[in-house]
Amino acid sequence: MRSTVSSCGLQLAARVACLLLLTLAGAVSVSLPAKALIELDITQGNIEPLPIALPDFGASGSDPKLASDMIAVITADLKRSGLFKPLDPASFIQKNMDVNTTPRFGDWRTIGAQALVSGTVSKQADGRLRAEFRLWDVFASEQMLGQQFFTTPENWRRLAHIISDAIYERLTGEKGYFDTRIVFIDESGPKDKRVKKLAIMDQDGANVRYLTRGDDLVLTPRFSPTSQEITYMSYSGADPSVYLLNIETGQREIVGNFPGMTFAPRFSPDGQSVVMSLQQGGNANIFKMDLRSRQTTRLTNTAAIDTSPSYAPDGSKIVFESDRGGSQQLYVMDANGGNAQRISFGPGRYSTPVWSPRGDLIAFTKMHQGRFMIGVMKPDGKGERILTEGYHNEGPAWAPNGRVLVFFRDTPGANGGPQVWTVDLTGYNEQRVSTPAFGSDPSWSPLIN
């Protein structure tokens, strides 16, 4: 999609250098040089959103509604992150901005904007869509970023997400997560007879597409960290099978039939192997499978139930849950299966651990006194922090930048069911992701580009 990218902004020194440096005990801020004017203040884990003005893009030879729809998607992306406060367009003093004209910065300072985005969308002679935008520092009266993109008209929504990522990265110093997708289990029908389909959607809930028809039970989809490929379990008959599915090509292949497997495998950081739990008799152990040779290596050998393994991003360690100590707890071991150490010691039971792509945290589900909680802790077990709790929260998965988690929350009652939610590392910014029916067991893709 991105055939031309030009960055024409000034190289402003040390802009927004302290964003999103969260510790497990809270959040900390890092001092900026005195000349830096745009700053998102992170204190005590509570982020003060940055006021940003996002006027409608111009439409040169293009559909004005399309230009308006694009800025609406960008606005929604930035607002949902919890880091930005899009200003009400009714407050804008300068109207009908031209992307090639320097803004009247005084007008934008008057309404409290700290950052400003201007842009235009045009249709090229060859039918392609061209979008150009500029990001402005209002107080410094300077351009921070300028880019242009070309794509086909049907990809306008994805192009909006790419622009959101560019703005996010320039203002935070970290990669965004908007040009991504979430795979999940779509659940429809009566509570005692649910039809479960494998489905995929954009991270904001748009463009839902079904990957299976609902003929067979499907469970635990997991994205590869390196490609648009997923692994999942499917019950066709009595025994479960593990599949690999390429989202782009639709090619599906069976990894193997593993009677009694308790959880679908997760990919290794390089995407070349998977780690999984296989049930044998009354216990379950963790195995690694090379996806090229299909060779399987046993990593644990206990009389307990060892399950839900997840690699550290550097591939050196694996976190998993086990009842080897008498109750469900979290353990970290070397990637070859040795040196297992318990890391969870709080009250209650722990499950579904997932290592952050940044390597700094492990997310988990915690069950205590009838409540289900989503939390994070350091890889050594220190600094446990609960982000959200409720009747039934389960199954966290990380956004590719390691700052947001997606999970599912079940609601009680005869008409209740699971819904997909996100929460950031502050725990203050929870957002429901709308799905056509009920949705469970979400997993986040890497950036599509």
Side-chain angles (χ1 to χ4, degrees), residues 2-187:
R2 195 178 306 198
S3 58
T4 301
V5 177
S6 61
S7 296
C8 52
L10 298 176
Q11 298 302 314
L12 304 183
R15 311 294 287 182
V16 199
C18 73
L19 305 185
L20 300 178
L21 296 176
L22 295 176
T23 66
L24 292 180
V28 298
S29 60
V30 178
S31 60
L32 290 171
K35 66 183 292 186
L37 299 178
I38 296 182
E39 174 183 353
L40 298 186
D41 183 27
I42 301 175
T43 57
Q44 304 302 318
N46 190 7
I47 298 172
E48 185 67 28
L50 177 79
I52 185 170
L54 295 147
D56 276 349
F57 281 4
S60 176
S62 184
D63 180 3
K65 184 179 184 303
L66 176 61
S68 179
D69 288 344
M70 283 189 66
I71 200 65
V73 170
I74 296 167
T75 300
D77 281 344
L78 297 178
K79 182 178 181 180
R80 267 198 324 276
S81 75
L83 300 179
F84 301 94
K85 179 185 176 182
L87 299 177
D88 184 354
S91 70
F92 297 169
I93 300 171
Q94 183 178 6
K95 308 291 185 181
N96 303 317
M97 284 193 60
D98 187 335
V99 71
N100 295 313
T101 302
T102 301
R104 299 199 304 262
F105 291 108
D107 289 352
W108 298 103
R109 284 192 286 269
T110 297
I111 66 171
Q114 295 185 33
L116 167 67
V117 177
S118 61
T120 187
V121 181
S122 60
K123 190 172 183 180
Q124 303 299 103
D126 61 3
R128 290 185 303 163
L129 199 67
R130 175 181 178 270
E132 179 183 1
F133 82 96
R134 299 176 191 268
L135 173 65
W136 305 89
D137 181 332
V138 173
F139 288 106
S141 301
E142 293 177 334
Q143 179 178 301
M144 300 181 71
L145 180 67
Q147 293 184 343
Q148 63 177 343
F149 305 89
F150 294 86
T151 187
T152 54
E154 61 268 21
N155 279 334
W156 69 268
R157 177 177 282 274
R158 185 174 166 218
L159 180 53
H161 292 316
I162 290 173
I163 293 173
S164 300
D165 280 331
I167 295 169
Y168 182 101
E169 183 173 0
R170 185 64 184 89
L171 290 174
T172 69
E174 297 190 347
K175 289 287 187 183
Y177 58 92
F178 305 116
D179 185 28
T180 58
R181 296 180 285 200
I182 293 173
V183 67
F184 67 103
I185 302 298
D186 176 272
E187 301 189 20

Side-chain angles (χ1 to χ4, degrees), residues 11 34 46 67 107 125-126 135 151 202 206 253 264 278 349-350 367 399 413 418 433 441 448:
Q11 298 302 314
N46 190 7
D107 289 352
D126 61 3
L135 173 65
T151 187
D202 295 350
E253 60 177 307
L278 301 182
R349 296 176 290 130
Y350 295 76
M367 297 144 283
V433 183
D441 218 349
I448 297 175

Side-chain angles (χ1 to χ4, degrees), residues 45 88 91 109 115 128 132 138 144 207 219 225 231 276-277 282 296 330 343 387 393-394 396 400 407 410 423 441:
D88 184 354
S91 70
R109 284 192 286 269
R128 290 185 303 163
E132 179 183 1
V138 173
M144 300 181 71
N207 294 327
L219 297 170
T231 179
M276 61 188 119
S277 174
T296 301
L330 305 186
I343 63 168
L387 303 180
N393 298 324
E394 194 172 353
F407 64 98
D410 218 336
V423 63
D441 218 349

